[in-house]
Amino acid sequence: MIRKHLFAPGEYYHIYSRGTDKRNIFLNSDDYWRFMTALIIFQGNVHIPQVSRLVPFVKHQMFDKEEFKEILEKKTIDLVSFCLMSNHYHLLLKENLENGISNFMQRLGNSYTKYFNLKYQRTGHLFGSVFQSRHIKKDKYLKHLSAYIHVNPSEIYSWNKKETVYPWSSFQDYVGKNRWSEFLCPSIVLDQFKNSKDYQKYALESGAKSKPIQDIFID
């Protein structure tokens, strides 16, 4: 799961990965919650035994537990936006400390793969390859990428035109209350808009999903 890529502190990156052979990596809500818990607790350089025991706290946004406070004090990355789909995921991350993203992604991938393989009695790699990454160099890319990530659920028939309430995305946290406290940091994007409604209008009307992802990064 380690990618040989030079990440730089203070910079932003689009991270994405999908299941091997395009297989589903989330089969039910328990899987999504387990991944969300890992997505939160591995943000800090803290040893966390038995990740699954913290799922109920994340599920109910109970972040006053001492372990969560310690994670916030030792954060190596910032999570700016995310979307989890049945067979892939997208993350927008900021690196705070050297090797922060690489270490975060290694822990995230290893932890979830171990959980998934044990639960579903399988072996081997869960994700198709090492995670993919793109360096986000300009604010306009941050805006467009955030919109691209947030409208991903439009691919799902039952969630088309309901992207703002899709539970496994940070879109609803951008346009409403942030469910994840300081574990989600959307200000770098939202500060470029007058208000959350302005952002919502941009995300839904920008045509971000129809624009090839590689085109976002062309200067």
Side-chain angles (χ1 to χ4, degrees):
M1 194 68 181
I2 301 176
R3 179 178 175 80
K4 293 181 179 179
H5 185 104
L6 184 62
F7 297 105
E11 297 296 307
Y12 294 83
Y13 299 87
H14 176 210
I15 307 293
Y16 50 104
S17 187
R18 67 174 60 249
T20 183
D21 298 324
K22 298 184 178 180
R23 66 159 297 140
N24 285 346
I25 55 177
F26 305 111
L27 303 186
N28 54 45
S29 62
D30 288 340
D31 295 343
Y32 283 104
W33 280 118
R34 178 57 172 70
F35 191 91
M36 277 302 311
T37 301
L39 196 58
I40 285 174
I41 67 173
F42 292 141
Q43 291 184 29
N45 188 18
V46 179
H47 175 63
I48 303 291
Q50 298 178 323
V51 174
S52 293
R53 69 186 169 81
L54 293 177
V55 170
F57 295 93
V58 172
K59 191 173 183 178
H60 297 288
Q61 288 85 56
M62 298 168 60
F63 298 124
D64 56 348
K65 193 174 177 62
E66 284 301 317
E67 284 156 300
F68 292 111
K69 295 177 182 178
E70 186 179 3
I71 292 166
L72 287 174
E73 291 172 357
K74 298 181 179 180
K75 283 178 71 176
T76 61
I77 62 101
D78 283 341
L79 175 64
V80 179
S81 58
F82 68 89
C83 185
L84 314 182
M85 301 286 282
S86 61
N87 67 354
H88 69 282
Y89 64 80
H90 293 274
L91 309 175
L92 176 50
L93 304 178
K94 176 189 176 187
E95 173 143 298
N96 291 334
L97 296 176
E98 188 173 355
N99 296 319
I101 288 179
S102 295
N103 292 336
F104 169 76
M105 292 303 300
Q106 181 183 18
R107 296 175 75 192
L108 178 68
N110 288 347
S111 174
Y112 187 73
T113 298
K114 182 178 179 181
Y115 154 84
F116 191 93
N117 284 354
L118 181 62
K119 179 178 179 180
Y120 296 108
Q121 299 182 330
R122 66 180 299 276
T123 59
H125 298 292
L126 176 61
F127 299 98
S129 65
V130 292
F131 65 87
Q132 303 297 303
S133 65
R134 292 272 190 165
H135 184 199
I136 315 302
K137 300 178 182 179
K138 298 181 180 180
D139 285 347
K140 67 177 182 179
Y141 296 164
L142 280 170
K143 291 167 55 178
H144 193 97
L145 178 58
S146 174
Y148 174 88
I149 289 173
H150 285 151
V151 297
N152 253 255
S154 63
E155 299 176 358
I156 308 170
Y157 179 79
S158 59
W159 289 103
N160 187 259
K161 300 188 184 305
K162 299 178 183 178
E163 297 89 349
T164 57
V165 292
Y166 181 69
W168 314 115
S169 157
S170 51
F171 202 171
Q172 64 176 282
D173 306 299
Y174 273 58
V175 301
K177 182 181 177 181
N178 183 348
R179 294 167 292 170
W180 316 110
S181 183
E182 296 172 71
F183 293 105
L184 179 70
C185 306
S187 60
I188 184 66
V189 174
L190 289 179
D191 286 351
Q192 300 181 56
F193 296 88
K194 290 184 291 187
N195 50 48
S196 59
K197 287 188 176 180
D198 190 35
Y199 172 78
Q200 179 176 334
K201 184 174 186 295
Y202 167 81
L204 295 176
E205 298 179 6
S206 65
K209 194 69 183 77
S210 61
K211 189 172 185 179
I213 192 66
Q214 61 268 24
D215 290 353
I216 298 173
F217 302 91
I218 295 177
D219 288 320

